[in-house]
Amino acid sequence: MSFFNPKGASAKTSQKHVVDPALQPWVEKYRPRTIDDVSAQEHTVTVLRKALTSTNLPHMLFYGPPGTGKTSTILALSRQLFGPDNFRNRVLELNASDERGISIVREKIKDFARQTPRAQAVSSDGKTYPCPPYKIIILDEADSMTQDAQGALRRIMETYARITRFCLVCNYVTRIIEPLASRCSKFRFTPLDPSSSSLRLSHIAQCEHIDIDSAVIDTLIKTSSGDLRRSITYLQSASRLASSTSPPTAITSLDIQEIAGVVPESVINDFASTLGIEVEDAMDVGGSTKHNANSFGAIQSKVKELMREGFSATQILSQLHDLVVLHPTLNGRQKSSCALVFAEADKALCDGADEELWILEVGLRINKAIS
Amino acid sequence: MALWVDEFRPRTLDNLHYHQGLSTRLKSLAASGDFPHMLFYGPSGAGKKSRIACTLRELFGPGVEKLKIDQRVFLSPSKRKLEINIVQSNFHIEITPSEAGNYDRVVIQELLKEIAQTQQVDLNAKQRFKAVVINEADSLSRDAQAALRRTMEKYMSNMRIILCANSTSRLIAPIKSRCLLMRVAAPNYHEMETVLNYVAKRAPFTLPPEATKKIIDDSGGNLRKAILVLEALKMQSPDLSGPLAIAKADWETYCHKVADLIVGEQSPARVMEVRAKFYELLSHCIPPTVIIKTVAERVVERVDESLKADIMHWAAFYVRKIVGGLAVPFTHSCWPAQEVRMRIGSKKIYHLEAWVVKIMSLYKHFFYDVDMSAFD
């Protein structure tokens, strides 16, 4: 592990990049190695598998919500195409942590795109790779590139199409300017369905030798809503916490909720009953019986209390939203006027308005809408 | 002579007075050698910074307390010079990127990569990685946050990031999902009492219970404020007996005065008076959101029950107008920080005044039962 370990001069360069696998984030550790490992996304995988056998590949645009495997897929594909040796000089990966202004597009990307790839060398690990005669430039998180930088790419993409393929990866396809989007074949990545997420999660749990029951996996999937990376990170954090307590304990659903920053259900229910929403939860009969509570003063002090506890306003909003929308007894009109409030509050919070004031506003308006 | 807040700040996780569960958790994480990226969030004065400092000490030993302050110069893409203060020890580095305003992305990109690419060379170091503490993470621009995303994964072996924020609302989801979230809630009455008594014991002097109660009620869960107030009061009257007058901040009394003016009379002349006061407040750099909030809270205390909800509603409404006066499209560079908007040209005084006029009309309407619906 140590840099100073005498291991011969040749090992020195490679050793610098070796990471202790125990310390690696599982998201990196269990990144799919081949495109066949990619969970779900059957359609995309079928198309790309064809690209492996033929030597042709279009420019590509991957889009979809976070944690659905966009970056993993393109990395796996290029690894399969070029093998570990050629990977470095055939693939250029740029993401939002790199400077990507118009000057970089003009210089770095253009220079890289211009190089004619070297002839195929024999791979060191004995396997043969297709190693087609082009390079791949991956622009990760492309939606954070400026319009100008995207504009500068237009011509580059066409001029060097013979020797270079571009792969744009983004969350919002609408932020990619039309001329770029039309040059690429688009692949939409859908949120993972629960069954494939749970398959992957239990696979990881098995590899890491942690005991985890299906209820916990369900919670993981529920809190992360189709974002596999998020659920893997939560799983790792939870297992860290569980294993670092003096007698190692099993992971519980409660741990997951705490890690995910979810506001405990009892707190939300309590808040809701202060607002005058009937919570049919049998647990806090004591709380919901005092119906005189839904006055201005009560709501204000409740909001103050919530803020002091440090809960995040957006989290409170989204959970309260779920509670209201799925509520059994409220009628459509009440629900829709509540939804309107939630939408306005979300916008205000996004703009950076004061959290306490807006949670109070939401509370008061829901209270009004319901009574 | 240091302030009490600094002098009696707990140095180790064992010395922390409340949130024991959190402390044991941090301790075991630090001991396990497998330390994740962390995000501490909670209201101000709840002890986030203290907890971070204690955790760092637990991780690296007393060496982290040997701090040096450095000033670094970064170049923005347009070759503008940005000067950033950096507090660092051999094991960690602490930055407040929001100092760089809109160019915080540059700081994040350059500094973090630089740290990430250097390995710990001290063989006696307890950990292989360095820690980077990022303060005021919730005011990071969206670009800066995006720049953090891959960096956090790629350089995990050399670096851990500890973010400190008041709220997670303004952090993008990818960052949140990469961190272990640590919620630091404000201490409750009992916990604050313990801490104040501890401070009194260390100082040392005797703290009468009624003074404790008064200070805690006034502090609103902000422990730092409570201890500062305690020290100030101790300076005023050494034995802390008799009636204690907790000095409010000037702007706060001023805001209360404004509220009293609004409730007292509703006329165009009054609006002019209020406007003068608002200008005064704004020129002293009190953020307009804080002004509205403080005034509204005071007004609400003094009006009829049925009016309260409306007043708060309009306060929230105009606060949104103030921060969202000019919607900056998402694609345009950074997270639209309040100040950015202001510079673009939304005039905050308009909205403050509009709000005052609105609640005055509501108030009058309520008393004289005039039908004002035509004016809405």
Side-chain angles (χ1 to χ4, degrees), chain B residues 124-365:
Chain B
N124 298 324
K126 279 169 105 179
Q127 307 289 344
R128 304 274 310 145
F129 54 82
K130 274 193 169 190
V132 178
V133 181
I134 299 181
N135 291 323
E136 294 175 31
D138 43 358
S139 53
L140 282 177
S141 72
R142 189 164 269 249
D143 274 1
Q145 295 187 35
L148 269 180
R149 288 171 63 168
R150 275 298 282 167
T151 317
M152 286 171 88
E153 284 177 355
K154 254 183 165 166
Y155 303 111
M156 188 81 182
S157 56
N158 286 345
M159 168 180 78
R160 296 292 186 279
I161 291 177
I162 300 178
L163 298 163
C164 178
N166 272 341
S167 145
T168 58
S169 293
R170 277 201 268 171
L171 288 171
I172 58 174
I175 300 281
K176 277 188 269 186
S177 75
R178 281 173 178 83
C179 294
L180 183 55
L181 300 185
M182 287 282 165
R183 184 168 58 84
V184 185
N188 61 26
Y189 184 90
H190 190 68
E191 288 159 347
M192 289 184 85
E193 202 177 6
T194 328
V195 175
L196 287 182
N197 283 329
Y198 166 78
V199 170
K201 213 171 87 193
R202 286 277 304 271
F205 61 92
T206 46
L207 182 64
E210 53 271 23
T212 323
K213 184 173 172 357
K214 195 147 183 211
I215 292 170
I216 294 174
D217 287 344
D218 183 69
S219 68
N222 187 337
L223 192 58
R224 178 169 357 116
K225 191 173 163 194
I227 297 179
L228 283 172
V229 165
L230 176 65
E231 188 169 6
L233 285 181
K234 177 81 174 124
M235 292 292 160
Q236 281 170 15
S237 64
D239 53 349
L240 285 171
S241 57
L244 293 168
I246 294 177
K248 277 199 168 31
D250 283 344
W251 62 269
E252 220 168 323
T253 22
Y254 217 74
C255 281
H256 287 172
K257 232 183 261 172
V258 173
D260 296 344
L261 283 178
I262 294 171
V263 181
E265 188 193 316
Q266 296 81 36
S267 64
R270 240 331 130 78
V271 177
M272 292 303 284
E273 248 175 87
V274 170
R275 164 193 281 181
K277 289 226 162 13
F278 275 152
Y279 264 124
E280 184 87 348
L281 281 167
L282 286 175
S283 66
H284 283 87
C285 292
I286 310 293
T289 346
V290 176
I291 300 179
I292 283 205
K293 205 172 140 189
T294 323
V295 175
E297 265 167 22
R298 177 75 170 187
V299 169
V300 158
E301 279 170 26
R302 307 194 38 187
V303 296
D304 194 84
E305 181 75 30
S306 57
L307 265 178
K308 288 179 177 176
D310 279 334
I311 288 174
M312 275 332 227
H313 165 71
W314 289 109
F317 179 84
Y318 282 107
V319 161
R320 202 187 79 179
K321 286 237 162 164
I322 288 172
V323 290
L326 277 172
V328 176
F330 188 84
T331 39
H332 282 210
S333 68
C334 68
W335 190 275
Q338 235 162 292
E339 285 71 19
V340 179
R341 292 276 179 63
M342 298 304 176
R343 226 179 294 140
I344 303 172
S346 127
K347 246 191 140 339
K348 37 207 164 180
I349 189 85
Y350 293 161
H351 301 299
L352 287 177
E353 262 177 22
W355 176 68
V356 169
V357 173
K358 186 81 206 176
I359 54 173
M360 280 186 174
S361 97
L362 272 175
Y363 197 75
K364 258 212 148 109
H365 178 194

Side-chain angles (χ1 to χ4, degrees), chain A residues 288-363:
Chain A
S288 51
T289 42
K290 41 169 187 175
H291 260 301
N292 60 336
N294 47 8
S295 67
F296 178 81
I299 295 176
Q300 194 184 26
S301 60
K302 193 82 208 165
V303 170
K304 274 212 154 54
E305 191 187 314
L306 275 177
M307 287 293 119
R308 274 185 61 162
E309 282 296 307
F311 293 117
S312 129
T314 38
Q315 188 64 41
I316 297 176
L317 274 191
S318 74
Q319 283 183 255
L320 200 60
H321 171 260
D322 289 349
L323 190 132
V324 168
V325 169
L326 301 175
H327 199 277
T329 54
L330 295 177
N331 63 33
R333 182 174 285 274
Q334 286 169 328
K335 281 185 186 177
S336 40
S337 47
C338 289
L340 200 66
V341 186
F342 286 125
E344 273 180 42
D346 191 50
K347 172 82 173 79
L349 288 174
C350 261
D351 285 344
D354 189 84
E355 296 200 342
E356 186 181 331
L357 215 49
W358 268 94
I359 293 289
L360 181 59
E361 159 79 358
V362 167

Side-chain angles (χ1 to χ4, degrees), chain A residues 69-304:
Chain A
K70 300 178 294 297
T71 314
S72 301
T73 309
I74 184 64
L75 285 178
L77 177 74
S78 16
R79 204 161 275 134
Q80 270 182 293
L81 279 174
F82 301 117
D85 299 338
N86 287 325
F87 189 81
R88 284 203 131 198
N89 50 33
R90 291 295 186 92
V91 178
L92 176 69
E93 190 196 347
L94 290 174
N95 55 49
S97 71
D98 304 297
E99 184 57 54
R100 283 193 306 193
I102 187 158
S103 60
I104 292 295
V105 170
R106 282 190 186 135
E107 292 157 21
K108 202 169 169 188
I109 296 186
K110 205 169 169 185
D111 280 350
F112 186 82
R114 204 185 269 157
Q115 294 163 11
T116 315
R118 280 189 302 145
Q120 180 185 357
V122 182
S123 172
S124 59
D125 60 355
K127 286 185 211 150
T128 48
Y129 293 95
C131 212
Y134 49 75
K135 304 177 299 291
I136 295 185
I137 298 183
I138 305 169
L139 293 172
D140 208 345
E141 292 145 26
D143 37 9
S144 66
M145 285 174 80
T146 57
Q147 301 252 332
D148 289 348
Q150 292 187 33
L153 268 181
R154 293 166 58 168
R155 206 49 205 150
I156 299 177
M157 276 175 90
E158 281 178 354
T159 320
Y160 303 106
R162 204 172 46 84
I163 46 172
T164 302
R165 298 289 180 277
F166 280 84
C167 179
L168 304 172
V169 178
C170 63
N171 291 133
Y172 305 99
V173 72
T174 44
R175 307 256 162 73
I176 304 292
I177 58 170
E178 190 52 38
L180 275 194
S182 70
R183 282 175 173 80
C184 302
S185 56
K186 292 183 196 161
F187 294 95
R188 193 166 82 89
F189 283 67
T190 45
L192 269 75
D193 54 302
S195 63
S196 40
S197 312
S198 88
L199 211 65
R200 191 77 191 156
L201 285 173
S202 36
H203 166 73
I204 292 176
Q206 213 173 19
C207 291
E208 292 289 333
H209 308 293
I210 44 178
D211 278 334
I212 185 166
D213 52 17
S214 56
V216 177
I217 292 193
D218 283 345
T219 324
L220 273 173
I221 295 169
K222 216 174 95 190
T223 46
S224 56
S225 56
D227 181 342
L228 188 57
R229 179 181 41 220
R230 211 156 106 193
S231 37
I232 295 177
T233 323
Y234 288 162
L235 180 62
Q236 186 174 15
S237 312
S239 88
R240 263 192 199 122
L241 281 183
S243 62
S244 58
T245 48
S246 40
T249 47
I251 302 169
T252 61
S253 308
L254 221 66
D255 287 340
I256 305 282
Q257 286 189 343
E258 177 71 35
I259 288 163
V262 175
V263 183
E265 207 150 305
S266 58
V267 175
I268 288 289
N269 284 345
D270 192 25
F271 185 45
S273 67
T274 317
L275 300 184
I277 305 171
E278 279 178 45
V279 188
E280 84 282 27
D281 195 23
M283 299 243 283
D284 58 8
V285 183
S288 51
T289 42
K290 41 169 187 175
H291 260 301
N292 60 336
N294 47 8
S295 67
F296 178 81
I299 295 176
Q300 194 184 26
S301 60
K302 193 82 208 165
V303 170
K304 274 212 154 54

